[in-house]
Structures are given as structure tokens and as C-alpha cells.
Amino acid sequence: MERVVFGRSGLSVSPIAFGTWQLSPRFWGDQSKEDALAAMRLAFDRGINFYDTADAYGDGYAEEVLGEAIQDMPREELVICTKFFNHFNPDASRYPDLSPAYLRERCEASLKRLRIETIDVALLHFYDQLTPLADVAGTLEQLRQEGKVRFIGVSNHTVEQFRAQRLHGPYCAVQPPYSLLAHEIEDDLLPYCEAENIGVMIYSPLHKGLLTGKYQGTEAFTDFRQHHPDFQGERFKSICQAVQSLKPLAEKYGLTIYQLVLTATLMHPAIHVAACGIKSPEQIADAAGALGKSLSREDYYAVRKALEIAPAPKISDAKGAKK
Ligand SMILES: NC(=O)c1ccc[n+]([C@@H]2O[C@H](COP(=O)([O-])OP(=O)(O)OC[C@H]3O[C@@H](n4cnc5c(N)ncnc54)[C@H](OP(=O)(O)O)[C@@H]3O)[C@@H](O)[C@H]2O)c1
């Protein structure tokens, strides 16, 4: 079993985490629950012990399915990560709310859905402007003392926001977006985390499927990707061509393009874990094939070079707005 130490938490985890966002119908459409359960089980059988979810994924549905899947797995070998941020209204609208009473309520609801006593890694899904940092940290500390949470961290925070949180509590993990197409955090968050031995679990390592190598650039999407600039028109086509150009290198290592990209992504020394979004047993089997793999330095940079594509223009730039 390949394991890494997840930064200062000391948790022993697989470098690939099973991502459950795909069970959110509002982003991904309806997914087969049977496929999800089978994939979660296969993940464990292939050496993956880290599962990533959030109370926001399908408004609790992803946590429920994960809770069902882990019933017949050895709890002590699993590391379960979930996230809090939203206040959920009965009409399915949401707004940020990390206020003490609500955060506690959300944590207790997640424990019930997951059918576990303790959340191993609890993350603040985003930064809540309205709740004082000391209140958030204070609530998490109480939950920790009650045994409901083991380790705490943040997601989608800038390095400044994360540094500010750390002045109030023992935050030891981050979950930022990162892929070989979108690697802005290499400039600030990753060096900071490496220096401070923070557990880093990146998300969207395959850029929401775009780096898996299965797209040719002509596909049309019915899920949230139909509105994503990287999945549109000429830009989509040129990214797909760049990804397809990786095929000979993947073959040299006996890997799929997906596995090549994932292997290269995990070579960054600050990155401990990649949370991979999975819909089926076939997809997790592909991801697990990257475990224990490595590329030469030269080939790592060849992958980087092939994927050197300018970021999509920001809407303000596209409109020629004054700087
Ligand atoms: N903290 C946050 O705010 C946040 C945000 C987003 C995600 N996350 C977490 O990170 C996880 C991963 O993010 P992501 O879903 O954006 O990641 P991703 O791993 O970059 O992309 C996942 C998509 O790739 C495709 N795919 C997966 N395996 C494949 C394979 N073997 N072959 C071909 N295609 C494959 C699937 O879509 P298709 O089959 O439809 O192409 C899948 O939905 C999520 O599940 C979630 O746990 C966290």
C-alpha cells in the first residue's frame, strides 16, 4: 500500500483520495448510486484509504452514499474528510454560514450521514466573511475536544486567508484547486505549505476531466462544463490537442494519459494527495494505476511544456477594462 504522511497531521494516507463531488446532481447530473458504491469499495481494495466529501455535495447525498459504502470497510484504516460552509434553506438556496451554532449543527449532521463517530479531517469549504476567525476556530476546538473532529483545515483560501486562520487555530491541511493547466498556487500557497509542513490535498487534478485524454475537442457537455471556458470552442480543441500529444510519453511509461498527468501532478513536493473525481469503478481503477509511479525530471518538464497553455482570459480583461 502506498502511503504518505499528510503533513503535520501525521495521518498516513494514500496519495490519491476518492472525490465524491460527482454525486452532486446540480453540477454533474444524475449518477448511478450502484456505480458510486462499487467504485468506493474498489478504491479501498486498490489501496486508497482517503475519501473526500462535503455536506454541499448533493446537499448531503454524497456523504450518505459514502457512509453506506464504508459500512463494511475497516474504519480504523480509513481517513474521511468533509467540509462545511453553507447554510442550507429548505428551498435548496444557500448562503455562507460558519457561525458557531450552525457549524456545530452541520458537523453533527455530517457525522450522522457518514455513520461515523469522528471526522478525521474537517475543512472550511470557503472563507466566511461574517464569522470572526476566533469564533470559527473556537467551535472547531470544542468539536475536537468532544472527539467529533480530529484535524482541521481549509479549502479555497488564499495564502493570506489561511495565514490569518492559523493565528487562531491548529489548521493543518488545505484543499486548493490545482492541475497542470491551472497551477497558480505554485507561486504562493504551495511554498508556504511546504515550509510549514501543511497537508496538501489538491482538487480537480484532471481539470474536471479535461486532462484525462478522453476528449477530442468536439464533444458537447450537458453538465456544468457547458458553461466552463476551457470546455468551449477553439480553446477546448487546443487543450485537447495538447493533451493528446502526451500519448507517446504515456506509452513510454506504460501509462494512460490520465495516469501520466496524475503521476506528474503528484511529483510536486508540496502536494501530498490528489482528490480525483470518480463516477465509476473503471475510473478509480485508472486512477489507482498511477500509485507508486514516477517520471524522470526531463519527462516531468516535457509534460509541463506540452500543457503550457495561456489561462482563459478573465472577463474584465476580455472586455478591455482599464487596469
Ligand atoms: N474543495 C472544493 O471546493 C472542491 C471543488 C471541486 C472538487 N473537489 C473535490 O475534488 C474531487 C476531484 O475534483 P474534480 O471532480 O473536479 O476532478 P477531476 O479528477 O479533475 O475530474 C473528474 C472528472 O474526470 C472524469 N474522469 C475521472 N476519471 C476518469 C478516467 N479514468 N478516465 C476518463 N475520465 C475520467 C470524470 O468526468 P467525465 O467522465 O464526465 O468526463 C470525472 O467527473 C471532487 O470529487 C471533490 O471531492 C473539491
Side-chain angles (χ1 to χ4, degrees), residues 17-22 28 31 52-54 57 83 123 125-126 155-156 175-179 202-215 221 223-225 231 256 258 274-280 282-287:
F18 188 108
T20 64
W21 180 36
Q22 280 56 29
W28 294 96
Q31 303 300 319
D52 177 67
T53 189
Y57 300 167
K83 319 181 195 77
L123 302 180
H125 208 152
F126 295 88
S155 183
N156 299 302
Q175 192 189 80
Y178 176 92
S179 75
I202 52 123
Y203 75 76
S204 297
L206 283 305
H207 210 71
K208 304 176 170 65
L210 190 46
L211 297 179
T212 59
K214 76 171 165 202
Y215 295 118
F221 295 86
D223 54 34
F224 76 101
R225 292 176 289 189
F231 291 82
T256 62
Y258 179 117
C276 298
I278 300 297
K279 291 179 171 173
S280 64
E282 293 72 27
Q283 292 190 348
I284 192 62
D286 201 4

Side-chain angles (χ1 to χ4, degrees), residues 16-37:
I16 292 172
F18 188 108
T20 64
W21 180 36
Q22 280 56 29
L23 288 166
S24 172
R26 82 165 75 188
F27 286 94
W28 294 96
D30 290 330
Q31 303 300 319
S32 152
K33 182 181 167 189
E34 286 63 42
D35 278 355
L37 287 169

